[in-house]
Amino acid sequence: MNIICNVLALLIVFGAIYLSYSTKILKDPEVDHPQYGKIEMYSFARTQGLWWTTLIGACFVIGFGANEEVINLNATCLVLLSIGVGTNAIGGIIDTPKDDDEKTDDVTPQNIFKKRIPHFLRDILSDSTGITVYRYQALIFNLIFSVVFLVEFLENISNNKMQFPVFENETLGLMGISAATYLGMKANEK
């Protein structure tokens, strides 16, 4: 059972990677530029939502395979999933054009060539002015907390402690503040 679950966890991860590059699952809605045509960019919010869903889902399957019992999701998992999915949902609302919005033709030359050469990291770290500190901060926090989450989870499993990691409220608050800052600044990008 353990091998089957590990293979399934790998399929979850590779499935997410495959969908990320073969579909528009991680891309913002197209921007129609009068001079350069349709431009698509990768979305930080969508990436964050898929990232935490994939990580927690894969860990859930690995945990089941190690013990052949379902490991209950704890508050840490639920908060991390909520931050990822909530950031994605609110980011989508911010990106939805309103009837009174002007047509966008202010896409900067820095972002124009993305149509021809998509660059994932540059897209998720950039707004129309270039790479921003608040997007970089959110990415770094997500990466650090992901590594800590995964390492603690694997340590728990190897010690027959069948539970997800527990982050302190301050740690989860830092993730929430980072996501809120990203969304606040994203709203100002409009």
Side-chain angles (χ1 to χ4, degrees):
M1 179 61 88
N2 194 16
I3 293 173
I4 293 170
C5 287
N6 288 342
V7 169
L8 183 57
L10 283 174
L11 287 174
I12 290 171
V13 171
F14 287 123
I17 293 168
Y18 174 76
L19 290 173
S20 299
Y21 290 103
S22 66
T23 69
K24 295 181 181 188
I25 194 171
L26 293 184
K27 293 189 177 176
D28 280 329
E30 291 180 337
V31 175
D32 194 12
H33 191 278
Q35 182 180 356
Y36 299 101
K38 296 196 183 296
I39 300 170
E40 292 182 324
M41 296 187 296
Y42 286 98
S43 164
F44 179 85
R46 291 177 185 221
T47 302
Q48 182 181 24
L50 183 65
W51 178 262
W52 284 108
T53 301
T54 302
L55 179 63
I56 292 172
C59 287
F60 185 83
V61 172
I62 290 169
F64 179 77
N67 192 32
E68 295 188 16
E69 282 186 28
V70 173
I71 298 177
N72 293 328
L73 296 177
N74 60 18
T76 296
C77 294
L78 297 177
V79 170
L80 291 172
L81 284 170
S82 298
I83 289 170
V85 173
T87 302
N88 184 17
I90 295 170
I93 292 168
I94 291 169
D95 286 338
T96 302
K98 312 291 182 282
D99 290 339
D100 57 345
D101 280 354
E102 295 178 16
K103 295 290 183 201
T104 181
D105 30 277
D106 63 345
V107 179
T108 62
Q110 171 182 345
N111 294 332
I112 295 303
F113 62 93
K114 293 177 185 177
K115 178 181 177 193
R116 287 182 226 109
I117 308 170
H119 190 280
F120 174 75
L121 194 58
R122 182 180 53 240
D123 282 0
I124 66 171
L125 292 176
S126 298
D127 63 10
S128 62
T129 64
I131 294 176
T132 61
V133 171
Y134 66 91
R135 287 175 180 253
Y136 180 74
Q137 174 199 44
L139 176 68
I140 294 300
F141 285 149
N142 275 283
L143 290 175
I144 290 170
F145 293 137
S146 297
V147 169
V148 170
F149 184 91
L150 185 60
V151 167
E152 284 187 21
F153 177 77
L154 294 174
E155 283 178 3
N156 287 347
I157 294 298
S158 67
N159 294 329
N160 292 325
K161 189 176 169 187
M162 299 301 160
Q163 69 179 30
F164 283 99
V166 175
F167 287 171
E168 298 292 325
N169 290 338
E170 294 81 7
T171 302
L172 295 172
L174 184 59
M175 284 290 294
I177 290 169
S178 178
T181 302
Y182 164 75
L183 290 170
M185 297 303 287
K186 182 176 183 66
N188 287 333
E189 289 173 12
K190 298 286 229 178

